[in-house]
Amino acid sequence: MLPLLLLLYYVSTVLATDRTVHLGYASYKGASSSKGVSQWLGMRYAAPPTENLRFAAPQDPPIESGVQAADTHGKLCLGTGDSPRNSATSEDCLFIDVYAPTSATSTSNLPVYFFIQGGGFNFNSNGNYDGSGLVAASGNGIIVVTFNYRVGPYGFLASREIEDAPQASFNNGLKDQRKALEWVQKYIAQFGGDPRHVVLGGDSAGAASIAYHLTAYGGRDDGLFVAAAAESVSFATILNLSESQYQYDNLVKIAGCKDDENTLSCLRSKTATELQTYNRNIPYPGAKNPPLYMWNPVLDGDMIQNYTRASFNNGDFIQVPVIFGDDTNAGTIFTPRGTSTLSQSKTFLHNQFPYLTAEQLERISQLYPNEGPDFPNAGTWWRQVSNAYGDMRYMCPTLWISSALLRYGVKGNWNYRYNVEDPEQMQRGLGVPHTAELSAIWGPANTNGAAPASYQKGELNDWIVPVIQSYWVSFIKTLDPNSLRAKGSPRWDEFMPINAQNDSGSADWSRMLFDTAKTTGMEDVGTAVRTRCQYLNSIGLAIRQ
C-alpha cells in the first residue's frame, strides 16, 4: 500500500516541481513566472492540418518522443489577405496554451476558462493573450486556456467537391475549437483543472462561435462546457453549401486548378505560400465590393443545421448560464471612414449583407438618420453607417439571443453594454468601439499592446479593470457574476422584463451598463434601441443571420 501512496504523492506533486506534463502523445515542460502562475505554450492539440489534412476535420496530434519545451507560442493560423511572408503565421497552427497557478496539482480541480479568439473567422485576431493576469486576478483559483483555430478557406471552404471527398469536411475552424475542447476534457486535470467545470469565453467571432457551440448538432450537449461568456457576439451572413460554391470556384480558378480532373487535390498540392497568394476576398454575388469577412461557417446540415436565429428561436440550444454583451459603438472600427453619402452607406451594408433588399435598406436609413456628429478626416455619413452596421451585426443580435433565452426560461442569463470611454478613442470618433471590454477583462498588460493608455495603472479608466475582472472571475468560478464581485460593485441582475408592459405594449429589458465609476449599474434598454432592434431582428432570417 505504501508504494501506491508514494506514487499518488509523486503524481500530484510533480506538476508543482518541474512543470512537466505527460499527455500520452507528448510530454511538455512549462515555465513558472514570478506571479505564481505557470504557463505551457505552443502545445499541439491536433495534427498539423497540412497536405492531405488541408480542408479536413482535425485529427489527433502526432506522437512525439522526449520532453518538448512549451515556452513559445505556436504560430497563428493563416489569415485572409495576409502576406504569404508573414513569419508569425503558418498553416501548421493548431496549438494550445495553458495558464495555471504554480501551486496547482493534478488534484486541484480548478475551474477552467476556455477563450475563443475573434477575427471574423478570417483571422486569429486575439492570439497569444497572456492568461497569467486573469489567473492572478482570480487569486490563483482558475485555469486559463487559449488556442488557435483555422480561418478563411483553410477553416471554412465549402462546395460540392468538399462534400463528395472522403477526407474533407465543412466548418473545420469550428471543429478545431471542438477538438481543443475535447483536448481539455482529456488533459486539463494534469494542469490542475476540472474538466467538469469548463466555462467558454470568446469575443467577436469567438463570441459567435459560442453561439454555434450552443446550437451545434441541433443543440446536442456533449458535456464540453457548463457556461459561457460571449463578448461582442457577431452575426454575419450564413450561406448554405450551394450558395458557397462561388467561393470554391473562384479559388480553383485563380489557383490554376480549373482544368484539373480533381480540383480539390490540386488545391491541396499547392504550398501554403502559393495558396495564401490566392487567399483574398471577392464580392458576394450581386454585391458591388468584397465584404470585410468573406469566409464564414456554413449550413452543412450536420454541425450547423439551421440559421443561428432559427436555432435559438426554436429552442435548439444547450441551456447553460451565459453572459452576452456588446459595446456602444461596435461599428466604428469596421466602416469606411470616408463614407460621405447615403448611397455609400447603403452600398457598404449591402456588401456585408447581400440579401438586403432596397426596401429594407431604405427602412434602415429611416431608422438611422444622419444626425452626426462630424469628425475630422471622416465623411459626413461615417457615424450613420457605423451605427447601423454596429446594431445589425452586434448589438441587436446580442439582445435578441438574451431575449430568446429569457423566453425559454434559461436560468443564469446576464446581458451588458460596455460604455467606458477612452479619451483618445472618443476624440477620433470611435466612441466605445468593438471589443473594448477585452482590455478590462484580461487586464491592460495582457492583450498584446491593444489596451488604451487610459486603462493603465493610475490612469482614468484603471478602476474598471478590477471591477469587471471580479464579475468574470466570479462567473468562471461560480457560474454567477455576483457571487464574488468586487466590494461596492452593483448587483448584476439577470436579463428580464422590468415591467409587465410599457406604453408600446411590450416588456422592457434591463442589463448591466459598464459606464463610469459613478454610473455603472443596471440600465433599461431604451425604447429607441428596442425600436431599431425590433426591425433589424425581424429581417434577421431574411438576410441569412
Side-chain angles (χ1 to χ4, degrees):
M1 190 68 179
L2 183 58
L4 176 60
L5 290 175
L6 289 174
L7 176 62
L8 291 174
Y9 175 77
Y10 171 78
V11 170
S12 66
T13 57
V14 66
L15 183 62
T17 55
D18 71 356
R19 305 292 94 199
T20 298
V21 291
H22 304 283
L23 306 182
Y25 67 92
S27 297
Y28 289 103
K29 183 177 178 62
S32 301
S33 72
S34 59
K35 298 178 181 178
V37 179
S38 294
Q39 59 186 27
W40 293 262
L41 309 179
M43 297 179 290
R44 292 190 183 277
Y45 71 87
T50 58
E51 300 179 349
N52 287 337
L53 292 183
R54 180 184 286 169
F55 312 129
Q59 302 298 307
D60 290 339
I63 295 174
E64 299 181 273
S65 60
V67 177
Q68 311 297 314
D71 56 1
T72 304
H73 295 293
K75 291 190 176 184
L76 302 177
C77 297
L78 297 168
T80 302
D82 200 8
S83 170
R85 294 175 294 278
N86 184 352
S87 61
T89 63
S90 172
E91 189 174 14
D92 181 7
C93 61
L94 300 185
F95 299 101
I96 197 165
D97 299 340
V98 174
Y99 300 85
T102 300
S103 59
T105 72
S106 57
T107 60
S108 294
N109 288 325
L110 298 176
V112 180
Y113 183 57
F114 179 92
F115 181 74
I116 308 172
Q117 61 179 303
F121 295 113
N122 286 245
F123 300 93
N124 286 169
S125 290
N126 312 105
N128 303 336
Y129 274 14
D130 186 351
S132 62
L134 199 52
V135 173
S138 74
N140 285 356
I142 66 172
I143 307 286
V144 173
V145 177
T146 62
F147 69 105
N148 302 329
Y149 59 93
R150 282 174 288 176
V151 291
Y154 308 94
F156 297 100
L157 190 66
S159 70
R160 58 180 175 272
E161 291 81 0
I162 297 288
E163 186 176 28
D164 293 340
Q167 197 177 21
S169 177
F170 301 117
N171 294 312
N172 292 316
L174 291 176
K175 290 175 181 176
D176 290 345
Q177 297 174 10
R178 214 155 181 95
K179 188 73 170 177
L181 280 167
E182 292 167 354
W183 184 95
V184 167
Q185 289 297 307
K186 291 180 181 178
Y187 303 118
I188 203 62
Q190 298 196 46
F191 301 86
D194 183 354
R196 299 162 301 178
H197 191 120
V198 177
V199 175
L200 301 186
D203 74 295
S204 195
S209 298
I210 288 174
Y212 283 121
H213 290 302
L214 288 170
T215 58
Y217 303 104
R220 187 182 78 200
D221 188 353
D222 292 339
L224 298 175
F225 55 90
V226 297
E231 299 125 24
S232 302
V233 69
S234 171
F235 270 29
T237 300
I238 303 174
L239 303 178
N240 62 29
L241 301 185
S242 62
E243 291 166 342
S244 301
Q245 186 69 42
Y246 80 96
Q247 298 173 342
Y248 180 91
D249 292 343
N250 178 74
L251 185 61
V252 164
K253 180 180 179 181
I254 62 177
C257 294
K258 184 178 180 181
D259 296 329
D260 276 58
E261 183 177 349
N262 190 324
T263 56
L264 183 60
S265 292
C266 181
L267 289 178
R268 282 175 165 163
S269 73
K270 303 295 181 181
T271 66
T273 298
E274 288 176 314
L275 196 60
Q276 192 63 6
T277 303
Y278 317 130
N279 181 13
R280 55 181 181 266
N281 287 335
I282 60 173
Y284 286 111
K288 184 176 181 180
N289 301 309
L292 295 172
Y293 306 106
M294 184 180 80
W295 303 97
N296 283 289
V298 297
L299 281 171
D300 60 4
D302 181 29
M303 186 177 191
I304 303 180
Q305 300 179 4
N306 211 334
Y307 297 108
T308 309
R309 288 184 180 273
S311 295
F312 280 104
N313 192 55
N314 297 338
D316 298 329
F317 59 88
I318 303 170
Q319 294 195 16
V320 293
V322 294
I323 292 174
F324 278 92
D326 193 25
D327 311 273
T328 301
N329 307 106
T332 52
I333 65 171
F334 299 105
T335 51
R337 196 174 176 96
T339 304
S340 301
T341 66
L342 175 58
S343 176
Q344 291 174 346
S345 171
K346 289 181 177 180
T347 297
F348 173 81
L349 295 177
H350 187 255
N351 290 337
Q352 317 311 314
F353 298 100
Y355 293 96
L356 280 169
T357 66
E359 292 76 15
Q360 291 166 346
L361 284 165
E362 179 59 30
R363 178 58 180 148
I364 290 169
S365 68
Q366 294 169 1
L367 289 169
Y368 295 87
N370 186 21
E371 298 176 340
D374 295 333
F375 294 94
N377 304 313
T380 54
W381 284 79
W382 172 53
R383 283 302 291 266
Q384 184 271 349
V385 71
S386 298
N387 294 340
Y389 181 70
D391 278 3
M392 287 183 68
R393 183 146 184 161
Y394 304 107
M395 182 66 75
C396 294
T398 296
L399 288 167
W400 187 87
I401 289 179
S402 294
S403 67
L405 301 181
L406 175 65
R407 182 157 51 89
Y408 280 97
V410 172
K411 302 300 182 184
N413 177 17
W414 291 274
N415 192 286
Y416 70 89
R417 177 168 70 96
Y418 193 77
N419 194 50
V420 177
E421 298 178 353
D422 170 70
E424 191 269 338
Q425 290 175 337
M426 296 298 293
Q427 185 178 12
R428 291 168 56 199
L430 297 176
V432 182
H434 183 58
T435 68
E437 67 269 43
L438 291 182
S439 296
I441 294 170
W442 287 82
N446 304 310
T447 55
N448 299 330
S454 66
Y455 284 75
Q456 303 299 328
K457 193 68 175 176
E459 299 298 329
L460 176 67
N461 290 323
D462 74 336
W463 66 272
I464 188 60
V465 177
V467 169
I468 204 167
Q469 283 186 334
S470 294
Y471 284 118
W472 256 250
V473 166
S474 179
F475 184 73
I476 294 166
K477 285 185 173 182
T478 72
L479 313 186
D480 184 336
N482 295 293
S483 304
L484 304 172
R485 70 183 188 273
K487 184 177 181 180
S489 298
R491 180 174 180 78
W492 189 344
D493 294 331
E494 290 191 43
F495 186 82
M496 63 180 64
I498 58 172
N499 296 306
Q501 287 188 331
N502 59 24
D503 293 339
S504 65
S506 61
D508 285 324
W509 296 322
S510 181
R511 62 184 173 185
M512 174 65 78
L513 170 65
F514 294 107
D515 199 357
T516 68
K518 293 182 179 179
T519 57
T520 286
M522 299 303 296
E523 72 163 1
D524 303 342
V525 178
T527 301
V529 174
R530 285 179 56 87
T531 298
R532 292 191 294 265
C533 286
Q534 183 177 14
Y535 177 73
L536 294 178
N537 290 332
S538 73
I539 65 172
L541 278 178
I543 64 174
R544 311 294 206 273
Q545 285 184 315

